[in-house]
Amino acid sequence: MKWYPVELHTHTEHSDGDFTPTQLVQAAKARGFAGVALTDHNTKSGATEFNAAIEKSGLTGVHGIEWTTYWGHMLVLGEYTYTDWRGVTPDMIDEAIKRIHDHCGLVGIAHPFALSNPVNTGYHWEFQIADWQAVDFLEVWSRDNAPCKVQSLRAIELWEQLLNRGCHITATSGRDWHREDTRSYAHTYVGIEDELNEQNVLQAIRDSRICLAAGPLLTMQAETAQGPVYPGQQTESGNVTLKLCMDDQTMPHDWDRTAIIPEKIVLVQNGEVIETLPVCAEQTVTVRTQKGWLRADLIGRYFGREEQRIALTNPIWTA
Ligand SMILES: [Zn+2]
Ligand SMILES: [Zn+2]
């Protein structure tokens, strides 16, 4: 399994960003991303230029859009046509999600707890979702300084509540990239076994083969007689042997290693910490698990603040 940094939330001058689509792709390449999605607000008009720039760059492009409505923002990735957001009222969102799925698209809730009215109309998620199982991903980390934002803590709390209800919903991070600046951003890493391409990126998001990192990348797999089990997949509960790896060489030019310092790894089962481990490049540990879900957090210092979650994995399900 290889883990590739892919940015899933961006804007260009086709909505309210400063980049041309070409400049966006160039900026993604310069920062070390392996792939980038184009998600302008309510338009795909940048797609032709984006596709040409992707072709030239050697990066993997993901086509998308950010549904930008009065009741929340929703990222739509990989939909081969366009489902119109206009006329969709809060109680109709499940129907709209179904239509997007019928068109092979994925939906993710962008910055669910961002400040809304009167600061930013529609930033806060207010759609009434009846079936959370239908939501593919939740952007638990958004924009700069995500690890220590109160919005991130609330989003992770919501995510864990949904996991506790058995919803297989993928946690992602979004730069919500509008322009270049020097702030600190987290990265979404996508686990891919075969070729890195758009369909495999979409499948990895669908399957929750995703890890998030503000600094070093933390990945986790369960070792079983049938082979490795990755985030999003399922293994038997009881004794589970986990291999945890930490890689501090990923995205080397896009995080400040003097300010982001890992201190420990914690294993979280069904919302409770069940094990604390030291930080090292690779370790194997066997833990006693119950039915539910199991994931890992990397905890450390983040720009002077102690005990921050600086990386996290999506969960392995324990049946
Ligand atoms: Zn938004
Ligand atoms: Zn956005």
Side-chain angles (χ1 to χ4, degrees):
M1 183 71 60
K2 273 193 84 173
W3 294 90
Y4 296 96
V6 177
E7 179 51 53
L8 300 175
H9 189 166
T10 70
H11 298 278
T12 71
E13 62 184 21
H14 288 263
S15 60
D16 60 349
D18 287 355
F19 299 114
T20 64
T22 305
Q23 287 166 342
L24 171 70
V25 172
Q26 286 167 346
K29 186 164 185 167
R31 286 190 179 269
F33 285 103
V36 60
L38 176 67
T39 59
D40 271 315
H41 298 289
N42 296 336
T43 181
K44 289 187 173 182
S45 60
T48 307
E49 184 184 333
F50 177 74
N51 290 342
I54 283 289
E55 189 79 29
K56 257 196 200 153
S57 69
L59 264 55
T60 292
V62 176
H63 67 280
I65 195 166
E66 184 174 12
W67 265 42
T68 308
T69 80
Y70 297 117
W71 304 289
H73 293 191
M74 183 167 81
L75 294 167
V76 176
L77 300 177
E79 187 185 19
Y80 61 73
T81 178
Y82 173 64
T83 297
D84 200 337
W85 64 276
R86 288 169 295 184
V88 176
T89 53
D91 55 338
M92 291 162 65
I93 192 69
D94 291 86
E95 244 170 83
I97 291 172
K98 188 181 176 313
R99 237 177 301 147
I100 293 164
H101 284 162
D102 288 345
H103 304 149
C104 304
L106 299 186
V107 299
I109 296 169
H111 45 69
F113 293 105
L115 291 177
S116 193
N117 300 328
V119 184
N120 295 300
T121 298
Y123 269 49
H124 193 294
W125 186 261
E126 290 169 15
F127 278 113
Q128 303 297 315
I129 290 190
D131 180 14
W132 277 93
Q133 188 67 56
V135 177
D136 299 289
F137 64 99
L138 185 65
E139 192 182 68
V140 299
W141 275 357
S142 174
R143 298 199 172 178
D144 60 302
N145 288 309
C148 51
K149 274 187 174 149
V150 69
Q151 293 97 312
S152 307
L153 301 179
R154 292 176 70 190
I156 286 175
E157 203 178 299
L158 168 63
W159 178 49
E160 291 196 333
Q161 282 170 9
L162 292 167
L163 296 176
N164 284 342
R165 280 161 50 179
C167 289
H168 288 225
I169 184 165
T170 305
T172 66
S173 173
R175 200 174 186 106
D176 206 350
W177 208 353
H178 286 76
R179 55 196 57 84
E180 282 293 29
D181 60 50
T182 55
R183 296 181 209 160
S184 179
Y185 291 89
H187 306 113
T188 300
Y189 291 86
V190 177
I192 290 183
E193 199 94 66
D194 314 312
E195 190 195 342
L196 175 64
N197 59 35
E198 181 178 23
Q199 286 312 315
N200 286 342
V201 170
L202 294 170
Q203 195 57 44
I205 299 168
R206 213 175 265 128
D207 295 346
S208 302
R209 236 172 13 262
I210 300 282
C211 296
L212 313 185
L217 170 65
L218 177 69
T219 58
M220 171 183 85
Q221 65 189 61
E223 308 283 39
T224 75
Q226 291 74 41
V229 171
Y230 296 102
Q233 294 178 327
Q234 184 173 299
T235 189
E236 292 291 310
S237 55
N239 283 339
V240 173
T241 299
L242 293 174
K243 186 167 125 186
L244 294 142
C245 297
M246 202 193 74
D247 181 358
D248 64 2
Q249 295 307 311
T250 58
M251 297 295 288
H253 309 301
D254 207 39
W255 60 275
D256 180 350
R257 59 197 61 227
T258 66
I260 304 176
I261 299 160
E263 283 165 347
K264 63 183 177 189
I265 294 167
V266 297
L267 301 180
V268 182
Q269 163 129 71
N270 302 341
E272 306 286 333
V273 173
I274 59 163
E275 186 84 54
T276 301
L277 302 165
V279 166
C280 68
E282 191 178 316
Q283 59 190 314
T284 302
V285 59
T286 300
V287 288
R288 187 86 195 144
T289 65
Q290 301 169 342
K291 282 192 196 330
W293 53 270
L294 176 66
R295 60 175 193 81
D297 280 343
L298 183 62
I299 306 292
R301 196 172 332 141
Y302 185 84
F303 291 89
R305 294 202 198 196
E306 302 292 336
E307 291 278 320
Q308 302 296 309
R309 183 187 284 110
I310 57 174
L312 64 108
T313 74
N314 270 272
I316 289 173
W317 293 88
T318 46

